[in-house]
Amino acid sequence: MKKYIPLVPLLIALAPALAPAQELKVALIAGKTGILEPYAKETEAGFMLGLEYLTKGKMEINGRKLKVIVKDDQSKPDLGRTMLAEAYGDDKVDIAVGTSSSGSAIAMLPIAAEYKKVLIVEPAVSDAITGSKWNKYIFRTARNSMQDGLAAAATFKQGSVAFLAQDYAFGKDAVKAAREALQLTGSKANIVHEEYAPQNATDFTASAQRIFDKLKDKPQPRVLQIIWAGPNPMNKIADMKPERYGITLAPGGNILPVLKTWKAFAGTEGTIYYYYNFPKNPMNDWFVAEHMKRYKTPPDMFTAGGFTAASAVVTALSKAGGGDTRKLIAAMEGMEFDTPKGRMLFRKEDHQALQPMYHFRIKKDQKNEWDLLELVREIPAAELPVPIKNKR
């Protein structure tokens, strides 16, 4: 007599083995509306391209499907906090990335600690994020203000420097970092003035004249460094003819639509986080070619930042074997990961990504609408001694 095993209990017993692996969830928070909208759109595009490249188009990690939940914080700190809490609490994401505004990013940091979940900061740059406001759940792929400052300081050897920056967290933090960077690099340049204007300012007449008055009689070279997020005031400052006082402009890096407006300043030098034609590696080659194919433009600064954050996410989730926070932190401290700029490393002490920067010159002979900058030199991470300030 044959013995039959009931089918229903057998299927129940096999169910765990037959069930598909639980998907991995990632939140991307960006200021998709508001003054930093162009940055946010670039970040999202780069993030999705990065995930596609790194997962070979499968959008899965270790056999688990990857789901991306995109949220708009409008670059508002209170909304940033809410969006991140929703991502961790309601959406149950394993890891989050964000955001465009330094003010909003700083507001989000305690939420990561409250929910005990990892937050990768991209592209906000305020030093406080990996400094005084840091907690162990925070990692940053974006460069910080000090890296910007150290890169610029490498080009200021002597003379007199003034700053024009926005009157909020990003601008003030950047100028503070620039001051410290000049000291750290041993530069003999002297800072003679700091000028802050509203974040959405359009008239720079009074600000520029105050800067000119402070600089015009100081030792040469006389440099005005412009640190600005969003529509850049360099053209308006240039219209006031700072060269009358022997003053040259030193712009920080900016997005391609802004760089296109600087053609009249051939020979002007500055420093930048990323320019599509500078890094030479297979990942960047694919990135540039694919972005040109899809968007008819080269990838930009924040597109590269989004791609970099995607690389950190994929590398971390792969190494940790999933979204367990303790395993993620253990995997990410000291973790190296490939990016369009080359290999980066999360410093164990403060989780800041160490990375190169670029010294550029605006081209005189521009062969096409995107042939804008020439590389003076890559400034390696080893030449950017970013202080550890998180008091871990």
Side-chain angles (χ1 to χ4, degrees), residues 147-158 178 181-182 185-187 269 271 357 359 377 379 383-384:
Q147 285 166 314
D148 276 344
L150 287 165
T155 71
F156 299 154
K157 301 301 183 183
Q158 58 187 0
L182 287 171
T185 57
S187 171
E269 297 184 9
T271 51
M357 299 287 281
H359 179 183
R377 89 179 175 103
I379 306 170
E383 293 183 23
L384 303 171

Side-chain angles (χ1 to χ4, degrees), residues 76-370:
K76 297 177 180 178
D78 57 340
L79 198 52
R81 291 172 61 90
T82 300
M83 294 293 99
L84 188 59
E86 284 183 1
Y88 290 144
D90 299 338
D91 301 318
K92 308 296 182 187
V93 301
D94 297 284
I95 193 168
V97 176
T99 180
S100 311
S101 160
S102 286
S104 185
I106 289 171
M108 289 162 58
L109 307 186
I111 304 301
E114 178 184 342
Y115 283 86
K116 296 180 171 57
K117 289 283 189 178
V118 169
L119 170 64
I120 295 176
V121 176
E122 177 65 48
V125 304
S126 171
D127 280 341
I129 292 167
T130 43
S132 61
K133 304 294 184 181
W134 177 88
N135 63 65
K136 69 178 182 179
Y137 303 98
I138 306 307
F139 291 78
R140 174 160 50 189
T141 49
R143 90 285 186 195
N144 63 15
S145 292
M146 182 56 72
Q147 285 166 314
D148 276 344
L150 287 165
T155 71
F156 299 154
K157 301 301 183 183
Q158 58 187 0
S160 306
V161 182
F163 294 97
L164 172 63
Q166 287 160 310
D167 191 11
Y168 86 115
F170 164 70
K172 291 183 175 180
D173 206 62
V175 173
K176 180 181 177 182
R179 275 189 171 276
E180 186 175 352
L182 287 171
Q183 295 174 347
L184 287 171
T185 57
S187 171
K188 296 181 180 179
N190 182 39
I191 297 175
V192 299
H193 185 62
E194 299 173 13
E195 182 75 23
Y196 298 95
Q199 189 177 4
N200 58 352
T202 57
D203 184 356
F204 298 94
T205 305
S207 292
Q209 194 56 58
R210 280 192 292 271
I211 295 169
F212 295 168
D213 289 343
K214 293 289 185 179
L215 268 178
K216 63 183 181 182
D217 297 320
K218 295 298 187 291
Q220 292 185 334
R222 301 173 190 135
V223 178
L224 166 55
Q225 184 177 14
I226 302 171
I227 302 172
W228 207 267
N232 194 280
M234 191 164 90
N235 284 322
K236 292 184 177 182
I237 302 295
D239 287 343
M240 296 181 66
K241 302 190 182 305
E243 66 273 13
R244 291 176 295 154
Y245 307 105
I247 298 170
T248 59
L249 304 181
N254 216 304
I255 57 176
L256 290 171
V258 173
L259 295 180
K260 284 175 64 175
T261 69
W262 293 354
K263 292 183 179 181
F265 309 112
T268 299
E269 297 184 9
T271 51
I272 196 167
Y273 161 80
Y274 172 87
Y275 177 70
Y276 72 95
N277 200 35
F278 290 170
K280 303 299 180 185
N281 60 70
M283 181 180 284
N284 194 58
D285 291 345
W286 180 90
F287 185 34
V288 173
E290 198 63 27
H291 199 279
M292 286 292 296
K293 185 183 353 179
R294 298 188 192 189
Y295 299 101
K296 312 305 179 188
T297 68
D300 214 336
M301 279 178 55
F302 296 99
T303 335
F307 197 118
T308 296
S311 180
V313 166
V314 172
T315 305
L317 290 172
S318 298
K319 287 188 67 176
D324 180 88
T325 299
R326 286 181 298 176
K327 292 180 179 178
L328 277 172
I329 292 174
M332 294 173 76
E333 289 190 335
M335 183 181 83
E336 295 186 3
F337 52 104
D338 291 321
T339 81
K341 291 175 63 174
R343 181 150 286 205
M344 291 188 191
L345 176 145
F346 280 133
R347 185 164 57 182
K348 184 174 182 179
E349 291 82 358
D350 62 358
H351 303 173
Q352 173 62 49
L354 304 183
Q355 56 195 282
M357 299 287 281
Y358 304 95
H359 179 183
F360 71 82
R361 183 182 298 115
I362 299 175
K363 279 189 171 184
K364 181 178 180 180
D365 298 319
Q366 299 180 3
K367 298 176 182 177
N368 57 61
E369 65 173 326
W370 305 117

